[in-house]
Short mmCIF file of all heavy atoms in Angstrom, two decimals:
data_model
loop_
_atom_site.label_atom_id
_atom_site.label_comp_id
_atom_site.label_asym_id
_atom_site.label_seq_id
_atom_site.Cartn_x
_atom_site.Cartn_y
_atom_site.Cartn_z
N SER A 1 0.87 -1.17 0.00
CA SER A 1 0.00 0.00 0.00
C SER A 1 0.91 1.23 0.00
O SER A 1 1.49 1.57 1.03
CB SER A 1 -0.92 -0.01 1.22
OG SER A 1 -1.72 1.14 1.26
N ILE A 2 1.05 1.86 -1.16
CA ILE A 2 2.08 2.86 -1.36
C ILE A 2 1.45 4.23 -1.57
O ILE A 2 0.46 4.38 -2.27
CB ILE A 2 2.96 2.50 -2.57
CG1 ILE A 2 3.57 1.11 -2.37
CG2 ILE A 2 4.07 3.52 -2.76
CD1 ILE A 2 4.34 0.64 -3.57
N SER A 3 2.07 5.23 -0.94
CA SER A 3 1.70 6.62 -1.16
C SER A 3 2.96 7.40 -1.50
O SER A 3 4.05 6.83 -1.60
CB SER A 3 1.01 7.20 0.08
OG SER A 3 1.88 7.13 1.20
N ALA A 4 2.83 8.70 -1.68
CA ALA A 4 4.00 9.51 -2.01
C ALA A 4 5.00 9.55 -0.87
O ALA A 4 6.20 9.67 -1.08
CB ALA A 4 3.56 10.93 -2.39
N SER A 5 4.52 9.45 0.38
CA SER A 5 5.39 9.44 1.55
C SER A 5 5.01 8.25 2.42
O SER A 5 3.85 8.08 2.79
CB SER A 5 5.25 10.75 2.34
OG SER A 5 6.08 10.75 3.48
N ASN A 6 5.98 7.39 2.74
CA ASN A 6 5.73 6.13 3.45
C ASN A 6 6.66 6.05 4.67
O ASN A 6 7.86 6.26 4.55
CB ASN A 6 5.96 4.94 2.53
CG ASN A 6 5.23 5.07 1.21
OD1 ASN A 6 4.10 4.64 1.06
ND2 ASN A 6 5.88 5.69 0.22
N HIS A 7 6.08 5.72 5.82
CA HIS A 7 6.86 5.68 7.06
C HIS A 7 7.15 4.24 7.46
O HIS A 7 6.26 3.38 7.41
CB HIS A 7 6.11 6.40 8.19
CG HIS A 7 6.02 7.87 8.00
ND1 HIS A 7 7.06 8.73 8.25
CD2 HIS A 7 5.00 8.66 7.58
CE1 HIS A 7 6.70 9.97 7.99
NE2 HIS A 7 5.44 9.95 7.58
N PHE A 8 8.39 3.99 7.84
CA PHE A 8 8.82 2.70 8.35
C PHE A 8 9.51 2.93 9.69
O PHE A 8 10.08 3.99 9.93
CB PHE A 8 9.78 2.00 7.38
CG PHE A 8 9.13 1.54 6.10
CD1 PHE A 8 8.94 2.42 5.05
CD2 PHE A 8 8.72 0.23 5.97
CE1 PHE A 8 8.34 1.99 3.87
CE2 PHE A 8 8.12 -0.21 4.80
CZ PHE A 8 7.93 0.67 3.75
N GLU A 9 9.49 1.90 10.55
CA GLU A 9 10.11 2.00 11.86
C GLU A 9 11.02 0.80 12.10
O GLU A 9 10.66 -0.34 11.78
CB GLU A 9 9.04 2.05 12.96
CG GLU A 9 8.16 3.29 12.90
CD GLU A 9 7.14 3.32 14.02
OE1 GLU A 9 7.00 2.28 14.71
OE2 GLU A 9 6.49 4.36 14.21
N VAL A 10 12.20 1.09 12.63
CA VAL A 10 13.13 0.05 13.06
C VAL A 10 13.13 0.10 14.59
O VAL A 10 13.60 1.07 15.19
CB VAL A 10 14.54 0.29 12.50
CG1 VAL A 10 15.47 -0.83 12.95
CG2 VAL A 10 14.51 0.38 10.98
N VAL A 11 12.59 -0.94 15.22
CA VAL A 11 12.39 -0.96 16.67
C VAL A 11 13.34 -1.98 17.29
O VAL A 11 13.55 -3.07 16.75
CB VAL A 11 10.94 -1.31 17.03
CG1 VAL A 11 10.72 -1.29 18.53
CG2 VAL A 11 9.98 -0.32 16.34
N GLY A 12 13.92 -1.61 18.43
CA GLY A 12 14.76 -2.54 19.16
C GLY A 12 16.24 -2.35 18.92
O GLY A 12 17.01 -3.30 19.05
N ILE A 13 16.66 -1.14 18.58
CA ILE A 13 18.08 -0.88 18.34
C ILE A 13 18.64 0.00 19.45
O ILE A 13 17.90 0.70 20.14
CB ILE A 13 18.32 -0.23 16.96
CG1 ILE A 13 17.68 1.16 16.91
CG2 ILE A 13 17.77 -1.09 15.85
CD1 ILE A 13 17.99 1.89 15.62
N SER A 14 19.94 -0.06 19.61
CA SER A 14 20.63 0.75 20.61
C SER A 14 21.44 1.82 19.91
O SER A 14 21.39 1.97 18.69
CB SER A 14 21.52 -0.14 21.48
OG SER A 14 22.45 -0.85 20.67
N ASP A 15 22.23 2.54 20.68
CA ASP A 15 23.05 3.59 20.09
C ASP A 15 24.13 2.99 19.18
O ASP A 15 24.64 1.89 19.44
CB ASP A 15 23.73 4.41 21.19
CG ASP A 15 22.71 5.19 22.01
OD1 ASP A 15 21.52 5.13 21.66
OD2 ASP A 15 23.11 5.84 22.98
N GLY A 16 24.45 3.71 18.13
CA GLY A 16 25.49 3.24 17.23
C GLY A 16 25.29 3.75 15.83
O GLY A 16 24.37 4.53 15.54
N SER A 17 26.14 3.32 14.92
CA SER A 17 26.11 3.73 13.51
C SER A 17 25.38 2.66 12.70
O SER A 17 25.72 1.47 12.77
CB SER A 17 27.53 3.93 12.99
OG SER A 17 27.51 4.38 11.66
N PHE A 18 24.40 3.09 11.90
CA PHE A 18 23.57 2.16 11.14
C PHE A 18 23.49 2.58 9.68
O PHE A 18 23.65 3.75 9.34
CB PHE A 18 22.15 2.11 11.73
CG PHE A 18 22.06 1.40 13.05
CD1 PHE A 18 22.31 2.09 14.22
CD2 PHE A 18 21.72 0.06 13.11
CE1 PHE A 18 22.22 1.46 15.45
CE2 PHE A 18 21.63 -0.58 14.34
CZ PHE A 18 21.89 0.12 15.51
N ASP A 19 23.23 1.58 8.82
CA ASP A 19 22.95 1.80 7.41
C ASP A 19 21.49 1.43 7.15
O ASP A 19 20.99 0.44 7.69
CB ASP A 19 23.85 0.94 6.51
CG ASP A 19 25.33 1.22 6.73
OD1 ASP A 19 25.66 2.33 7.18
OD2 ASP A 19 26.14 0.33 6.42
N PHE A 20 20.83 2.23 6.32
CA PHE A 20 19.45 1.96 5.93
C PHE A 20 19.35 2.00 4.40
O PHE A 20 20.05 2.78 3.75
CB PHE A 20 18.49 3.00 6.53
CG PHE A 20 18.60 3.13 8.03
CD1 PHE A 20 19.41 4.11 8.60
CD2 PHE A 20 17.91 2.28 8.86
CE1 PHE A 20 19.52 4.25 9.97
CE2 PHE A 20 18.01 2.41 10.25
CZ PHE A 20 18.82 3.39 10.79
N ARG A 21 18.49 1.18 3.82
CA ARG A 21 18.29 1.21 2.37
C ARG A 21 16.86 0.84 2.02
O ARG A 21 16.17 0.12 2.78
CB ARG A 21 19.28 0.28 1.66
CG ARG A 21 19.08 -1.22 1.90
CD ARG A 21 20.14 -2.02 1.14
NE ARG A 21 19.92 -3.45 1.23
CZ ARG A 21 20.68 -4.37 0.63
NH1 ARG A 21 21.74 -3.98 -0.09
NH2 ARG A 21 20.41 -5.66 0.74
N ALA A 22 16.41 1.33 0.87
CA ALA A 22 15.03 1.10 0.43
C ALA A 22 15.01 1.00 -1.09
O ALA A 22 15.84 1.59 -1.79
CB ALA A 22 14.11 2.23 0.90
N ARG A 23 14.03 0.25 -1.61
CA ARG A 23 13.83 0.15 -3.06
C ARG A 23 12.37 -0.17 -3.34
O ARG A 23 11.63 -0.66 -2.47
CB ARG A 23 14.74 -0.93 -3.66
CG ARG A 23 14.39 -2.35 -3.27
CD ARG A 23 15.33 -3.35 -3.91
NE ARG A 23 15.06 -4.72 -3.46
CZ ARG A 23 15.80 -5.77 -3.82
NH1 ARG A 23 16.84 -5.61 -4.62
NH2 ARG A 23 15.49 -6.98 -3.37
N ALA A 24 11.97 0.07 -4.58
CA ALA A 24 10.60 -0.20 -5.03
C ALA A 24 10.60 -1.35 -6.03
O ALA A 24 11.63 -1.68 -6.63
CB ALA A 24 9.98 1.05 -5.64
N THR A 25 9.44 -1.95 -6.22
CA THR A 25 9.22 -3.00 -7.21
C THR A 25 7.99 -2.64 -8.03
O THR A 25 6.99 -2.19 -7.46
CB THR A 25 9.02 -4.37 -6.53
OG1 THR A 25 10.17 -4.66 -5.71
CG2 THR A 25 8.86 -5.47 -7.55
N ASN A 26 8.05 -2.82 -9.36
CA ASN A 26 6.89 -2.48 -10.18
C ASN A 26 5.93 -3.66 -10.27
O ASN A 26 6.16 -4.73 -9.69
CB ASN A 26 7.31 -1.96 -11.56
CG ASN A 26 7.93 -3.05 -12.43
OD1 ASN A 26 7.88 -4.23 -12.12
ND2 ASN A 26 8.53 -2.63 -13.53
N VAL A 27 4.85 -3.50 -11.02
CA VAL A 27 3.79 -4.52 -11.06
C VAL A 27 4.24 -5.80 -11.73
O VAL A 27 3.62 -6.85 -11.57
CB VAL A 27 2.54 -3.96 -11.78
CG1 VAL A 27 1.91 -2.85 -10.98
CG2 VAL A 27 2.89 -3.49 -13.19
N LEU A 28 5.32 -5.77 -12.49
CA LEU A 28 5.85 -6.96 -13.14
C LEU A 28 6.89 -7.67 -12.28
O LEU A 28 7.49 -8.66 -12.70
CB LEU A 28 6.46 -6.61 -14.50
CG LEU A 28 5.48 -6.05 -15.53
CD1 LEU A 28 6.21 -5.73 -16.84
CD2 LEU A 28 4.35 -7.03 -15.80
N GLY A 29 7.11 -7.18 -11.06
CA GLY A 29 8.08 -7.80 -10.17
C GLY A 29 9.51 -7.39 -10.40
O GLY A 29 10.43 -7.98 -9.83
N ILE A 30 9.73 -6.36 -11.21
CA ILE A 30 11.08 -5.88 -11.47
C ILE A 30 11.48 -4.92 -10.35
O ILE A 30 10.78 -3.95 -10.07
CB ILE A 30 11.16 -5.18 -12.84
CG1 ILE A 30 10.78 -6.18 -13.94
CG2 ILE A 30 12.55 -4.62 -13.08
CD1 ILE A 30 10.73 -5.57 -15.32
N ARG A 31 12.62 -5.21 -9.71
CA ARG A 31 13.07 -4.43 -8.57
C ARG A 31 13.94 -3.26 -9.03
O ARG A 31 14.75 -3.39 -9.94
CB ARG A 31 13.85 -5.31 -7.60
CG ARG A 31 13.02 -6.42 -6.96
CD ARG A 31 13.85 -7.23 -5.98
NE ARG A 31 13.05 -8.22 -5.28
CZ ARG A 31 12.86 -9.46 -5.71
NH1 ARG A 31 13.43 -9.85 -6.85
NH2 ARG A 31 12.11 -10.30 -5.02
N GLY A 32 13.78 -2.14 -8.36
CA GLY A 32 14.59 -0.97 -8.65
C GLY A 32 15.90 -1.00 -7.88
O GLY A 32 16.22 -1.96 -7.16
N ASP A 33 16.68 0.05 -8.03
CA ASP A 33 17.96 0.15 -7.34
C ASP A 33 17.75 0.54 -5.88
O ASP A 33 16.82 1.28 -5.54
CB ASP A 33 18.85 1.18 -8.04
CG ASP A 33 19.21 0.77 -9.46
OD1 ASP A 33 19.29 -0.45 -9.71
OD2 ASP A 33 19.41 1.67 -10.31
N TRP A 34 18.65 0.07 -5.03
CA TRP A 34 18.63 0.46 -3.63
C TRP A 34 19.07 1.91 -3.48
O TRP A 34 19.99 2.36 -4.15
CB TRP A 34 19.58 -0.41 -2.81
CG TRP A 34 19.15 -1.83 -2.61
CD1 TRP A 34 19.68 -2.94 -3.21
CD2 TRP A 34 18.13 -2.31 -1.73
NE1 TRP A 34 19.04 -4.07 -2.77
CE2 TRP A 34 18.09 -3.73 -1.85
CE3 TRP A 34 17.24 -1.70 -0.85
CZ2 TRP A 34 17.20 -4.52 -1.13
CZ3 TRP A 34 16.36 -2.49 -0.14
CH2 TRP A 34 16.33 -3.87 -0.28
N ASN A 35 18.39 2.62 -2.62
CA ASN A 35 18.86 3.94 -2.17
C ASN A 35 19.33 3.75 -0.73
O ASN A 35 18.55 3.37 0.15
CB ASN A 35 17.75 4.98 -2.24
CG ASN A 35 18.24 6.37 -1.84
OD1 ASN A 35 19.40 6.56 -1.52
ND2 ASN A 35 17.34 7.33 -1.87
N THR A 36 20.61 4.00 -0.48
CA THR A 36 21.23 3.67 0.80
C THR A 36 21.68 4.92 1.54
O THR A 36 22.28 5.81 0.94
CB THR A 36 22.43 2.73 0.60
OG1 THR A 36 22.02 1.56 -0.11
CG2 THR A 36 23.03 2.31 1.94
#
């Protein structure tokens, strides 16, 4: 269920340095590039 702005939460982490990444998939199942 996608809108122009989508919120995600990472729960259960402590202090430190983290990497996050996200990507989309179209209706044919083709995956886009990661944005990191």
Side-chain angles (χ1 to χ4, degrees):
S1 178
I2 303 175
S3 60
S5 180
N6 309 270
H7 291 283
F8 291 83
E9 296 181 350
V10 181
V11 182
I13 65 175
S14 57
D15 294 356
S17 183
F18 288 85
D19 301 336
F20 306 95
R21 68 180 186 178
R23 68 180 176 184
T25 303
N26 69 11
V27 294
L28 297 180
I30 300 176
R31 296 181 175 90
D33 296 330
W34 289 106
N35 183 0
T36 304

